[in-house]
Amino acid sequence: MNRLYNSLEPRVMDDDMLKLAVGEQGPQEEAGLLARQEGILFKDVLSLQLDFQNILRIDNLWQFENLRKLQLDNNVIERIEGLEKLTHLVWLDLSFNNIEAIEGLDTLVNLEDLSLFNNRISKIDSLDALVKLQIIYLRQFKNLRALSLSGNPIAEAEDYNMFILAYLPDLVYLDSRHIDDHMKGLAELKHQFSIDELKHRENLIQARLEDEQARREELEEHKAAFVEHLNGPFLFDSMYAEDVEGNKLACLHGAGELLEAYKDKFVVICVNIFEYGLKQQEKRKVELDTFNECVQEAIQENQGQGKRRIAEFEEKHLLSLSAIRDESELSNLEKKIVECSKDISELFNTLMTLEMQLVEQLEETINMFERNIIDLVGLFIENVQSLMAQCRDLENHHHEKLLEIAISALEKMVKGELEEDLPDEVRALFVDKDTVVNAVGSSHDIHLLKIDNREDELVTRVNSWCTHLVDKIHKDEIMRNRRRVKEINQYIDHMQNELDNLECSDIID
Amino acid sequence: MEVLKEEEEGKEAAKQEAAAEPAAEPTAEPSEEGEMMQPQEVGRRGTIMTQEMLRDLEKKLLGIEITVPEKPSIITKDTIDISKLPCSYQSNTPEEEHLLEVADNFSRQYSHLCPDRVPLFLYPLNECEVPKFVSTTIRPTLMPYPELYNWDGCAQFVSDFLSMEPLPDPLKPALWEKEEAPPKKYAVRPPRDLTSRFEQEQERKRQEKIKAEEERRQREEEERLQEVDSTGTDPLHGLRVHSWVLVLSGKREVPESFFIDPFTARSYSPQDEHFLGIESLWNHKNYWINMQDCWNCCKDLIFDLGDPVKWEYLLLGTDKPRLSLVDEEDDTLSEDYDIENLGKEDEDKCFDMPHSWVEQLEISPEVFETRCPNGKKVIQYKKAKLEKWAPYLNSNGLVCCLSTYKDPECTKILEVKEWYQNREDMLELRHINKDTGLIVDYFKPGHPQALRVHSYTSMQPEMDRVMEFYKTVRVDGLIRREETPKTMTEYYERRPDFLSYRHVNFGPRVKKITMNSTESNPRTVLKITERFFRNPAKPADEDVAERVFLIMEERIQLRYHCRENHITASKREFLRRTEVDSKGNKIIMTPDMCSSFEVEPSEHTKKLLYQYETMMQLKKEEKLCRHQAWESELEVLEILKLREEEEEAHTLTISIYDTKRNEKSKEYREARERVMHEEHLQQVEAQLDYLAPFLAQLPPGEKLTRWQAVHVKEECLSDFKQRLIDKANLIQARFEKETQELQKKQQWYQENQVTLTAEDEDLYLSYCSQAMFRIRILEQRLNRHKEMAPLKYMALEEKLCKDPRLAELLKSFV
């Protein structure tokens, strides 16, 4: 111990050090021999002890993915770092180091026991908030049950115990001592106000997150139905968002009312599309579910048969294997071996036949599903298009009306009868007939474009979804088939190998 | 085949001894020739007749008695002590005489009008040879047992309570009075009724078996069928009469009329073909003759007793049992009735049925529990025998035993089923198959070893046996253990280690020259197979489904669970043969010691270290398994021992509420009674009359004079004083005597001290201490007596002054 403390050079955690530690702490005796023969992979290590090594910086631990327990006490570590990959860590001992802040533990969600005894945490006095933050930071570890913090400046703070107990109510051991319920109750009372506030804040954040999550989910759902943002005036608003002329013209006498009426009608159609879209989505889902169910059933049934065959075979096979082992006469032996391998190939044939059957069955079903889903999507597109056409009609109608209003306004203006005060930029449009018509026309064009875009987007997306879905189903089926064939081959090979090995050893005998 | 004669009901058994002639039975509803009594109300509403009376099922049931002919029944007469019967049994009241006359008249008219029909069964002789009208033998009674409130429970009780005796002549009861032309249309029930269901079932089962078997069997079957046929054709078919109970629909929610056969307690629909017809009906109020044609059995009969065309009544009742009348018809019919009424009135003058001559029926709880006469009943079926006992009658708790036989003569037992009750070991049913020797015991929950079923051929260990357990009771989750001489298979459920099955193959016992022969010598274990349920917490590749320890070959086979969407499962086989390699080095692990097949080969399982660790683990578990197998064997031995002990002791449990049988509560009750009694005695003592001896000296009946009162008081006081003094003297005398004796002894001791043995000295010392103790006590008593005597004297004086007999006189005197 003294040797380590006295050695001047702080050390770095390098491969050698880790290997040495792993080797020393790995399996002992016979198993140790084996381990040394083969070497131990860092990722298989569950527990690692690196105390009294004069380590300055935590490093190189990323390979220990499955580590459960890590002891780094009695070193000269100054910061908690480099532990991000050790997500399975349950027990972390960092006592007798020079750590100044509790940090770098965010990913260690399974942490149950954290020891920071004798460090330098929060030596800055009077930074009350900071101290608190340190503790509050620990609230995120839901599994934390044991904490050791004494020997730190923070522990000298008056009220240290109470504070921790209040803020970490799930703790069972603090500084290696069992926490009794009475103390816990006292602490809770004492800090009730701040805890409540904290909890309130946490709850608010949680609620906001949930809200957002819910909204996002809803939008996802709409997107899945390809009708997002159609359950309101979003499309209509977007039509006017970039339409400068349209907005200008809206202030003309009569145009405002016209616009209102137009919007109402338009929104109604949008909502229709939206609702129809959701309904169709539901239909597609039901279709898909029924299909999946049927496929799963067929697969399960087939697997059941396969398992049964294999079980039957194995029963028989075991008997014949032991018969072969016991057989002494060479001619009989050969006969039995031949029989046995015949059994194996027979099993292979049976299993492959089963699989081929299934493939055929599934192919048929998949094709049927494909036809149905394409029909469904086609119907959906058709209906959406007709609804969109209604939108366009509305737009055309609106355009005509607006044109009329604009022209009459122009006439009035030419005659100087226009009473209203129009903004100058609007007035600028009414220079001559062409300008007015152009302005109205360009507004109309923008609107049509928007509608077309939305329609195109919907159609493209629904089509690509459909293609993807069908592709995926085909691909999955192919993968499944390959896996099964591979599985069968592997099994048969194994069986055959086993038999061959037996043969060899027998012949040697 | 015989008309059965029932003996009696519970009551009579209790009271009048079980014998008794049927006719004499109280409240009997004897019916002749398939008549039914109408105690309908049993359990529900009484239809006809007085519903109120009928309500009480029990009465009827109890009353059901067959009016078996008196003559043949003489056999049983001697069992009844006629002299103890009340006089209503031995003579007829004037009303009854009148009724008998009416009945006689009725009967004569009837035989005149219907010469073809069987004579009526109207007034059979009772046990005292006195003719009694059948209706008066019925006494509706309400019994305090809820079981008897419904017809089925009540009928069951009656059927248990009746025992049958064949008549010398099956036709006799019908012919008891005047011989007439043999009847043609009787309702007779072939005896088949008593046996047929079971028989049929047996027959059917047998047929099914036989069909599957060979021709030889078939031939036998044919023979058997012939037998059945021959018994089936009954030469007396339609000639026998029988009594049974008819429950009429209408009241008490009885939806439709039905028959109850008192011997089997079964109900039959009137449509049943076994009932060929009805001659007459009666209840405790009236008697009706069936005027309808019974060509189609009882199927077409209309049970509207208010219709005089269909049912000819004996007495013109006050209540009109026309319950089944449809409303519209009501008017017309009642008119008819009125007319009839008028016509008959002068004849009968509304003569009411006299009150029953039968004593009040009572069934004590003991008799009720005992049910059958003497608590035992044997019912003989074809090829089967059913025996019933009252609970606690048999010391081993046997309450029911059904033996089935291979042959109609009942000589070769096929199987025996025994039902037990109140057994402390919770044994409920034992099923013995005499052919295979297989015995199956069924237990109720609560056996100390959680045993549910135990089937065995011999109580010797290591034989074929199956034990099943109540699964929620056992901590180890064992539900079933099967044994054969060479194997033991155990099935588990709900274990934390997911074990579901363990199969152990035993080899022969190794003969060791054992030093410690007390240790049991377990058989060698050849192979252990264990299976596990899927543990959802583990991936399928690491979750063992089956492991086989081939102990002799040092081979361990593992089979893992199947992954989802896979049909093959990983397997691994460990073999540890050579411990030493060619150079003599110890081999720890070589790749060929473990052959594995993996569905999804993974890297870490290929490592020798992993395999080594797994193998070590398995070795450990193998030891554990062997130990468990050994423990299982021990447990079997233990259970067998326990069972033998239980069987030996066959203790019965007694409810603590059963104050008659439960010793503890009996003791407790007796103790309480004793305490009460003592308290009572003390009270009496406290009230001793001091004056009595002195007053007795004075002439009786005279009033005391003052002088006499004073005299009496003084006498009493002086007497008491004398007693106190006597007592003091007595104590003093004893005290002195003890002291003297002690002194003597001490003297003796001092003289002989030298020669005394240690024993004598001990004796002396103990005597001394006891004597001292006695002396001290006597001294204390003396002192206390001296203290108390004046107080007692004063108390008596005061008491005498206050005595009501003296107070007046003394007061004035003072």
Side-chain angles (χ1 to χ4, degrees):
Chain A
M1 181 171 161
N2 284 334
R3 178 182 60 85
L4 289 167
Y5 266 134
N6 294 340
S7 67
L8 295 174
E9 278 299 300
R11 292 174 61 190
V12 180
M13 288 172 87
D14 54 15
D15 237 27
D16 292 340
M17 180 200 263
L18 291 173
K19 266 189 190 150
L20 191 68
V22 168
E24 274 173 8
Q25 294 159 29
Q28 301 300 315
E29 297 178 24
E30 297 188 342
L33 283 176
L34 287 176
R36 245 163 287 149
Q37 266 174 35
E38 291 183 312
I40 301 172
L41 288 181
F42 285 170
K43 66 172 181 186
D44 295 336
V45 177
L46 295 183
S47 147
L48 186 62
Q49 192 178 354
L50 288 169
D51 47 356
F52 301 106
Q53 303 280 354
N54 232 14
I55 296 167
L56 181 61
R57 195 159 172 257
I58 307 173
D59 204 357
N60 261 334
L61 287 176
W62 56 271
Q63 285 190 77
F64 293 85
E65 291 163 9
N66 292 308
L67 206 59
R68 299 281 191 281
K69 179 175 174 182
L70 177 60
Q71 284 169 277
L72 283 169
D73 51 304
N74 294 292
N75 287 302
V76 289
I77 299 164
E78 288 173 354
R79 282 191 58 169
I80 307 176
E81 60 189 340
L83 300 174
E84 296 81 12
K85 293 275 181 190
L86 315 185
T87 50
H88 290 103
L89 214 54
V90 170
W91 167 313
L92 179 59
D93 189 349
L94 285 167
S95 35
F96 298 103
N97 280 298
N98 299 332
I99 295 164
E100 291 176 8
I102 307 174
E103 59 186 345
L105 301 169
D106 301 37
T107 54
L108 311 187
V109 287
N110 294 314
L111 207 56
E112 282 173 27
D113 187 327
L114 175 63
S115 179
L116 291 165
F117 187 71
N118 247 354
N119 276 292
R120 298 180 190 163
I121 294 162
S122 126
K123 62 181 173 187
I124 312 163
D125 332 54
S126 78
L127 267 190
D128 244 13
L130 200 68
V131 178
K132 276 190 185 169
L133 279 180
Q134 299 268 313
I135 303 302
I136 291 164
Y137 173 76
L138 292 174
R139 275 174 77 87
Q140 61 178 305
F141 304 107
K142 301 288 178 213
N143 294 326
L144 194 64
R145 294 291 175 272
L147 177 68
S148 184
L149 265 181
S150 58
N152 286 293
I154 190 177
E156 283 154 25
E158 168 194 12
D159 180 34
Y160 150 82
N161 268 346
M162 289 290 183
F163 186 80
I164 292 188
L165 294 188
Y167 276 80
L168 303 172
D170 289 337
L171 272 193
V172 180
Y173 297 95
L174 176 63
D175 296 328
S176 313
R177 283 161 72 180
H178 190 262
I179 302 168
D180 66 55
D181 289 342
H182 177 66
M183 283 294 285
K184 215 183 260 185
L186 279 184
E188 234 164 76
L189 273 183
K190 190 163 181 189
H191 291 272
Q192 196 173 21
F193 183 69
S194 47
I195 293 274
D196 285 351
E197 195 185 293
L198 186 70
K199 272 189 189 155
H200 180 66
R201 244 190 343 251
E202 281 173 352
N203 286 344
L204 275 187
I205 294 173
Q206 187 64 26
R208 211 163 47 224
L209 281 178
E210 272 166 21
D211 261 12
E212 220 162 272
Q213 182 71 15
R215 260 204 309 282
R216 218 177 300 135
E217 268 164 23
E218 200 187 23
L219 186 61
E220 277 314 308
E221 206 179 292
H222 297 166
K223 268 191 180 158
F226 314 107
V227 289
E228 72 278 6
H229 300 315
L230 284 178
N231 52 341
F234 303 104
L235 178 60
F236 187 83
D237 291 346
S238 77
M239 281 169 19
Y240 278 86
E242 293 165 29
D243 177 11
V244 188
E245 280 85 5
N247 285 325
K248 283 180 195 161
L249 290 170
C251 19
L252 286 180
H253 178 70
E257 293 86 59
L258 188 65
L259 193 63
E260 278 306 309
Y262 171 44
K263 184 175 177 178
D264 287 349
K265 283 182 194 159
F266 193 89
V267 169
V268 168
I269 294 174
C270 280
V271 170
N272 276 346
I273 298 176
F274 177 77
E275 275 163 8
Y276 178 68
L278 287 189
K279 246 183 256 161
Q280 284 292 309
Q281 161 72 358
E282 195 57 38
K283 263 192 192 169
R284 286 193 296 267
K285 210 172 145 244
V286 169
E287 185 82 20
L288 187 61
D289 287 348
T290 345
F291 166 73
N292 279 337
E293 199 180 313
C294 153
V295 168
Q296 279 314 315
E297 245 168 52
I299 293 178
Q300 289 304 335
E301 154 80 20
N302 189 277
Q303 275 174 6
Q305 281 188 23
K307 277 183 197 166
R308 235 181 353 264
R309 291 283 154 79
I310 291 179
E312 282 163 16
F313 165 78
E314 281 200 350
E315 208 169 299
K316 196 179 156 200
H317 187 68
L318 269 182
L319 288 180
S320 33
L321 275 191
S322 61
I324 291 173
R325 273 197 207 103
D326 297 341
E327 189 57 66
S328 48
E329 196 137 337
L330 205 62
S331 58
N332 279 347
L333 185 73
E334 265 169 26
K335 217 168 84 193
K336 281 193 174 157
I337 288 174
V338 171
E339 246 173 55
C340 202
S341 60
K342 222 163 74 192
D343 281 346
I344 294 176
S345 55
E346 196 179 304
L347 176 72
F348 177 74
N349 288 338
T350 327
L351 292 179
M352 287 310 264
T353 317
L354 272 178
E355 174 57 19
M356 286 322 292
Q357 262 174 23
L358 183 64
V359 168
E360 268 168 39
Q361 287 170 337
L362 289 186
E363 200 173 76
E364 209 173 297
T365 322
I366 290 172
N367 286 339
M368 201 155 76
F369 172 73
E370 193 179 336
R371 278 199 300 278
N372 288 345
I373 199 79
I374 286 176
D375 284 355
L376 259 183
V377 167
L379 185 72
F380 175 59
I381 291 175
E382 215 170 273
N383 284 325
V384 168
Q385 275 172 341
S386 78
L387 285 169
M388 284 296 192
Q390 286 179 28
C391 288
R392 261 182 233 109
D393 287 348
L394 273 181
E395 172 57 29
N396 288 336
H397 182 70
H398 176 72
H399 170 66
E400 278 164 28
K401 288 273 161 110
L402 190 64
L403 200 58
E404 269 173 34
I405 291 174
I407 297 212
S408 70
L410 181 67
E411 279 166 7
K412 276 183 190 166
M413 193 174 289
V414 172
K415 290 177 191 162
E417 287 168 5
L418 201 66
E419 303 113 31
E420 302 154 72
D421 282 336
L422 285 175
D424 285 346
E425 36 184 17
V426 178
R427 215 170 265 277
L429 286 177
F430 293 90
V431 181
D432 56 27
K433 194 175 177 180
D434 279 352
T435 328
V436 172
V437 171
N438 278 345
V440 176
S442 74
S443 161
H444 178 55
D445 287 347
I446 289 175
H447 296 168
L448 281 184
L449 187 68
K450 282 283 175 191
I451 294 172
D452 287 350
N453 282 350
R454 184 69 187 87
E455 186 183 329
D456 283 353
E457 189 199 335
L458 187 148
V459 171
T460 332
R461 267 180 46 210
V462 76
N463 276 331
S464 83
W465 171 81
C466 182
T467 334
H468 270 116
L469 178 71
V470 172
D471 276 359
K472 188 168 172 294
I473 289 171
H474 278 295
K475 226 182 275 169
D476 283 354
E477 164 57 14
I478 292 168
M479 289 305 291
R480 190 204 61 76
N481 171 247
R482 285 194 187 153
R483 267 201 310 272
R484 175 58 41 83
V485 171
K486 187 177 145 209
E487 190 189 348
I488 295 171
N489 275 316
Q490 207 179 338
Y491 183 74
I492 296 297
D493 285 353
H494 172 79
M495 283 312 190
Q496 195 64 52
N497 271 338
E498 201 179 44
L499 188 64
D500 291 348
N501 284 340
L502 203 66
E503 233 170 296
C504 297
S505 60
D506 274 325
I507 289 163
I508 291 164
D509 287 347
Chain B
M1 308 215 97
E2 0 339 344
V3 175
L4 307 168
K5 169 214 243 190
E6 306 124 351
E7 308 253 275
E8 60 262 288
E9 330 306 12
K11 262 233 175 133
E12 296 187 343
K15 293 206 155 189
Q16 311 180 343
E17 301 190 322
E21 302 205 8
E25 287 338 278
T27 72
E29 311 200 17
S31 49
E32 234 188 11
E33 319 169 353
E35 326 236 43
M36 350 202 64
M37 280 322 289
Q38 305 253 330
Q40 336 28 10
E41 297 20 322
V42 180
R44 285 114 189 265
R45 324 184 90 210
T47 57
I48 339 159
M49 325 303 243
T50 61
Q51 57 253 60
E52 333 107 298
M53 322 250 329
L54 297 173
R55 285 175 215 153
D56 317 332
L57 337 162
E58 307 129 61
K59 21 159 160 179
K60 304 167 181 179
L61 296 171
L62 296 172
I64 298 173
E65 191 196 74
I66 296 191
T67 63
V68 184
E70 305 85 53
K71 291 166 199 169
S73 61
I74 295 165
I75 325 155
T76 53
K77 266 184 192 167
D78 47 356
T79 55
I80 301 175
D81 185 357
I82 299 173
S83 59
K84 281 189 188 162
L85 295 174
C87 57
S88 69
Y89 284 56
Q90 306 186 30
S91 60
N92 279 324
T93 60
E95 289 86 39
E96 283 177 307
E97 292 292 353
H98 184 200
L99 178 64
L100 288 177
E101 277 168 32
V102 171
D104 195 39
N105 182 21
F106 183 75
S107 153
R108 249 174 275 146
Q109 288 182 26
Y110 172 74
S111 50
H112 176 68
L113 293 171
C114 314
D116 288 345
R117 292 182 65 170
V118 231
L120 293 176
F121 185 72
L122 282 171
Y123 37 92
L125 302 183
N126 74 356
E127 40 297 50
C128 307
E129 305 272 355
V130 178
K132 292 286 185 185
F133 190 70
V134 284
S135 292
T136 58
T137 58
I138 302 175
R139 176 161 188 155
T141 313
L142 179 62
M143 287 292 164
Y145 306 106
E147 268 183 74
L148 299 182
Y149 285 8
N150 282 321
W151 75 265
D152 38 3
C154 191
Q156 190 59 52
F157 175 73
V158 172
S159 77
D160 282 346
F161 213 92
L162 296 175
S163 51
M164 291 183 291
E165 282 175 29
L167 293 170
D169 177 356
L171 298 180
K172 200 107 181 230
L175 308 173
W176 69 286
E177 237 188 348
K178 301 166 195 168
E179 305 266 338
E180 294 203 350
K184 284 179 183 175
K185 282 194 225 161
Y186 300 99
V188 169
R189 296 177 33 161
R192 250 185 297 160
D193 266 354
L194 299 171
T195 57
S196 61
R197 282 204 185 184
F198 187 74
E199 239 178 65
Q200 282 165 4
E201 215 163 284
Q202 284 290 94
E203 209 57 52
R204 210 190 61 234
K205 276 183 198 161
R206 205 162 291 133
Q207 277 177 6
E208 279 166 6
K209 264 188 212 162
I210 286 161
K211 263 176 212 162
E213 279 171 345
E214 294 175 308
E215 268 185 297
R216 186 179 57 83
R217 286 279 183 149
Q218 260 177 356
R219 243 173 275 138
E220 270 182 21
E221 222 264 304
E222 277 166 308
E223 284 169 16
R224 208 169 289 145
L225 280 176
Q226 277 174 2
E227 263 178 38
V228 172
D229 281 351
S230 63
T231 55
T233 54
D234 179 3
L236 293 174
H237 182 83
L239 297 182
R240 267 177 260 115
V241 287
H242 180 53
S243 299
W244 65 91
V245 179
L246 166 68
V247 179
L248 287 186
S249 64
K251 297 180 187 168
R252 295 211 219 169
E253 295 167 18
V254 179
E256 55 185 16
S257 306
F258 59 96
F259 299 149
I260 301 173
D261 176 22
F263 287 107
T264 59
R266 278 194 205 123
S267 69
Y268 296 90
S269 151
Q271 312 295 320
D272 198 288
E273 284 174 1
H274 290 127
F275 296 88
L276 300 180
I278 296 176
E279 285 291 324
S280 58
L281 291 178
W282 70 90
N283 65 2
H284 60 291
K285 290 235 170 147
N286 210 342
Y287 191 100
W288 295 265
I289 297 165
N290 177 23
M291 306 305 282
Q292 298 170 77
D293 196 350
C294 295
W295 64 273
N296 194 12
C297 301
C298 298
K299 289 176 192 170
D300 297 333
L301 289 189
I302 292 164
F303 295 103
D304 178 7
L305 298 177
D307 184 349
V309 177
K310 298 193 170 78
W311 297 96
E312 184 68 43
Y313 51 84
L314 174 77
L315 294 182
L316 185 61
T318 40
D319 35 33
K320 305 171 183 176
R322 283 166 295 146
L323 303 166
S324 53
L325 288 186
V326 189
D327 286 353
E328 312 124 35
E329 292 177 45
D330 214 358
D331 292 352
T332 54
L333 272 178
S334 58
E335 273 171 24
D336 289 347
Y337 191 79
D338 287 344
I339 294 162
E340 284 283 330
N341 225 350
L342 289 171
K344 286 222 170 183
E345 212 154 274
D346 36 359
E347 200 182 341
D348 286 346
K349 304 232 162 147
C350 273
F351 179 69
D352 270 346
M353 186 64 74
H355 194 261
S356 173
W357 54 275
V358 178
E359 260 195 295
Q360 176 73 29
L361 294 180
E362 269 171 34
I363 305 179
S364 65
E366 290 88 2
V367 175
F368 182 67
E369 193 187 67
T370 316
R371 293 209 147 217
C372 321
N374 298 323
K376 183 179 174 180
K377 178 159 188 168
V378 181
I379 305 171
Q380 187 76 44
Y381 293 94
K382 185 174 179 190
K383 291 189 188 174
K385 188 170 78 175
L386 181 68
E387 291 161 278
K388 288 182 185 176
W389 291 271
Y392 296 110
L393 189 72
N394 287 320
S395 63
N396 62 355
L398 186 64
V399 291
C400 189
C401 174
L402 173 69
S403 324
T404 42
Y405 300 91
K406 274 184 229 170
D407 51 341
E409 292 79 33
C410 295
T411 51
K412 290 175 212 152
I413 296 183
L414 189 65
E415 55 176 34
V416 180
K417 276 185 172 184
E418 294 172 343
W419 283 268
Y420 296 85
Q421 255 178 33
N422 304 314
R423 294 265 300 204
E424 200 166 70
D425 59 4
M426 303 316 243
L427 181 65
E428 191 177 26
L429 165 65
R430 167 167 297 162
H431 189 159
I432 305 165
N433 189 325
K434 291 282 182 188
D435 264 359
T436 57
L438 184 71
I439 305 172
V440 187
D441 289 351
Y442 297 87
F443 297 85
K444 284 194 272 193
H447 187 268
Q449 293 276 10
L451 218 51
R452 192 168 73 85
V453 180
H454 181 198
S455 64
Y456 54 97
T457 50
S458 127
M459 287 298 273
Q460 289 305 308
E462 293 168 29
M463 301 291 283
D464 283 338
R465 85 178 61 253
V466 178
M467 290 179 183
E468 285 177 36
F469 299 90
Y470 284 99
K471 52 187 171 186
T472 46
V473 183
R474 287 193 61 117
V475 188
D476 61 359
L478 183 66
I479 48 172
R480 185 181 168 91
R481 178 183 287 138
E482 292 166 6
E483 273 184 288
T484 67
K486 293 256 167 214
T487 66
M488 175 154 72
T489 317
E490 294 171 313
Y491 298 87
Y492 295 90
E493 250 180 30
R494 297 176 305 115
R495 280 173 66 105
D497 62 359
F498 296 92
L499 181 67
S500 67
Y501 168 95
R502 179 186 291 135
H503 179 87
V504 186
N505 286 50
F506 293 104
R509 224 173 266 279
V510 183
K511 276 185 190 156
K512 291 187 237 169
I513 311 143
T514 41
M515 302 294 185
N516 43 351
S517 52
T518 48
E519 284 295 307
S520 66
N521 178 14
R523 292 172 286 180
T524 49
V525 177
L526 295 183
K527 180 179 163 189
I528 301 178
T529 311
E530 287 185 322
R531 290 188 193 141
F532 298 84
F533 292 117
R534 178 90 176 82
N535 177 359
K538 285 186 184 173
D541 274 348
E542 292 168 26
D543 192 11
V544 178
E546 183 185 69
R547 61 183 187 201
V548 183
F549 299 106
L550 294 158
I551 289 159
M552 285 296 135
E553 303 172 49
E554 292 210 65
R555 198 189 281 272
I556 301 170
Q557 293 168 337
L558 294 186
R559 191 169 54 79
Y560 292 85
H561 278 284
C562 221
R563 286 182 174 217
E564 216 181 319
N565 288 330
H566 280 71
I567 53 171
T568 57
S570 301
K571 286 189 294 188
R572 199 158 276 144
E573 183 167 348
F574 295 94
L575 180 62
R576 194 171 197 190
R577 253 183 261 173
T578 45
E579 294 277 335
V580 174
D581 71 2
S582 51
K583 290 175 198 158
N585 294 329
K586 197 179 171 199
I587 292 182
I588 300 160
M589 185 82 202
T590 53
D592 61 338
M593 282 162 74
C594 167
S595 63
S596 45
F597 164 69
E598 281 174 12
V599 177
E600 297 269 307
S602 86
E603 226 161 80
H604 78 284
T605 55
K606 280 213 184 84
K607 291 221 168 183
L608 279 181
L609 179 60
Y610 171 82
Q611 294 174 355
Y612 175 78
E613 278 172 350
T614 316
M615 189 162 82
M616 287 300 123
Q617 184 65 27
L618 285 170
K619 291 253 164 200
K620 251 187 249 163
E621 274 163 20
E622 180 183 317
K623 260 184 217 155
L624 213 62
C625 281
R626 286 164 69 170
H627 182 73
Q628 275 162 349
W630 176 70
E631 277 190 343
S632 293
E633 277 188 276
L634 282 192
E635 193 189 276
V636 172
L637 289 180
E638 199 184 313
I639 293 176
L640 290 181
K641 203 173 133 213
L642 180 69
R643 282 295 302 131
E644 252 163 37
E645 280 166 13
E646 284 169 350
E647 209 49 52
E648 192 76 22
H650 53 69
T651 338
L652 300 185
T653 55
I654 296 165
S655 157
I656 58 160
Y657 302 109
D658 190 345
T659 46
K660 282 210 185 73
R661 292 201 186 84
N662 193 309
E663 284 303 320
K664 267 191 196 162
S665 65
K666 198 171 165 185
E667 272 169 31
Y668 176 70
R669 204 186 61 228
E670 279 169 3
R672 258 187 34 186
E673 272 168 16
R674 215 166 36 236
V675 170
M676 297 257 291
H677 183 65
E678 278 165 15
E679 273 174 13
H680 182 69
L681 279 183
Q682 275 176 3
Q683 273 180 0
V684 170
E685 211 170 312
Q687 288 164 5
L688 267 187
D689 188 357
Y690 290 98
L691 285 174
F694 304 99
L695 289 174
Q697 293 169 11
L698 301 171
E702 285 176 33
K703 240 190 144 201
L704 285 179
T705 63
R706 183 183 298 174
W707 181 83
Q708 274 173 328
V710 174
H711 186 68
V712 162
K713 182 191 161 199
E714 254 152 35
E715 233 176 317
C716 182
L717 283 175
S718 69
D719 186 72
F720 185 63
K721 195 194 262 171
Q722 190 56 46
R723 284 221 334 252
L724 288 175
I725 293 167
D726 286 352
K727 197 175 172 191
N729 287 340
L730 196 66
I731 298 173
Q732 180 71 31
R734 277 190 196 158
F735 174 74
E736 277 162 14
K737 193 180 155 211
E738 282 289 343
T739 325
Q740 272 174 13
E741 263 177 38
L742 182 66
Q743 276 169 357
K744 256 189 221 163
K745 197 91 180 169
Q746 276 171 340
Q747 223 170 345
W748 169 83
Y749 174 73
Q750 271 161 8
E751 280 165 17
N752 300 305
Q753 197 171 10
V754 196
T755 57
L756 280 180
T757 64
E759 236 173 79
D760 288 338
E761 204 167 319
D762 278 351
L763 226 59
Y764 166 75
L765 286 176
S766 71
Y767 168 79
C768 278
S769 70
Q770 275 178 22
M772 289 304 288
F773 172 74
R774 281 197 296 267
I775 291 168
R776 210 164 51 241
I777 294 294
L778 285 170
E779 203 177 343
Q780 275 177 13
R781 282 178 67 186
L782 192 61
N783 289 339
R784 189 157 171 272
H785 185 68
K786 278 178 187 163
E787 260 173 48
M788 294 300 291
L791 294 178
K792 277 185 184 167
Y793 185 81
M794 307 271 282
L796 182 65
E797 189 174 7
E798 196 176 333
K799 203 171 170 189
L800 288 178
C801 284
K802 282 183 185 163
D803 190 288
R805 286 163 296 187
L806 304 178
E808 270 314 290
L809 301 167
L810 290 178
K811 209 192 281 169
S812 46
F813 175 74
V814 172

